[in-house]
Amino acid sequence: MSAPSKEAPKVTHGDPLFELAEKIYVQLAARVYGNLAGGDVKKPDPKALAAYSYKLAEAFEQASRETTRAMAHIEAANKAKVRLDEVDLSGVFGETKK
């Protein structure tokens, strides 16, 4: 029997944050490791570049939730919700005649 793995669970496709971070990573890697980057420049570790890509993706996701358009969408969705704790149902559940 093998020991349990101490690695973090692998994130797969379908996670929007993963997909955005992947796109950012591919673009950054192309610029950093590409032919135009220059041979004498020290290049970062690929894992560090991946971690940076995730930080950029998280920052983008957070900022996109703070736009006026997103706030208006959230406000409209909240107004459209029916909140049962605010509805007076006393007339519906009144006493029944025998």
Side-chain angles (χ1 to χ4, degrees), residues 19-52:
E19 291 177 2
L20 180 58
E22 182 180 39
K23 288 178 184 179
I24 293 170
Y25 178 79
V26 168
Q27 292 295 320
L28 284 175
R31 290 176 184 249
V32 170
Y33 303 116
N35 292 336
L36 300 175
D40 58 343
V41 178
K42 185 176 187 243
K43 300 193 168 93
D45 178 47
K47 284 186 180 182
L49 195 62
Y52 183 63

Side-chain angles (χ1 to χ4, degrees), residues 1 6 23 25-26 36 41 51 54 57-58 61 64-65 78 80 84 96 98:
M1 185 181 263
K6 293 182 181 178
K23 288 178 184 179
Y25 178 79
V26 168
L36 300 175
V41 178
Y54 262 100
E58 288 172 344
E61 190 175 81
S64 67
R65 282 188 244 126
N78 286 340
L84 295 178
T96 58
K98 291 184 179 184

Side-chain angles (χ1 to χ4, degrees), residues 11-92:
V11 180
T12 59
H13 294 282
D15 178 17
L17 187 64
F18 172 81
E19 291 177 2
L20 180 58
E22 182 180 39
K23 288 178 184 179
I24 293 170
Y25 178 79
V26 168
Q27 292 295 320
L28 284 175
R31 290 176 184 249
V32 170
Y33 303 116
N35 292 336
L36 300 175
D40 58 343
V41 178
K42 185 176 187 243
K43 300 193 168 93
D45 178 47
K47 284 186 180 182
L49 195 62
Y52 183 63
S53 299
Y54 262 100
K55 287 185 185 279
L56 288 173
E58 288 172 344
F60 181 81
E61 190 175 81
Q62 179 67 32
S64 67
R65 282 188 244 126
E66 296 172 358
T67 64
T68 54
R69 183 176 181 179
M71 298 293 242
H73 178 72
I74 291 168
E75 186 176 330
N78 286 340
K79 284 183 181 179
K81 289 180 185 175
V82 176
R83 303 184 103 182
L84 295 178
D85 58 336
E86 295 176 0
V87 177
D88 181 20
L89 297 175
S90 60
V92 176

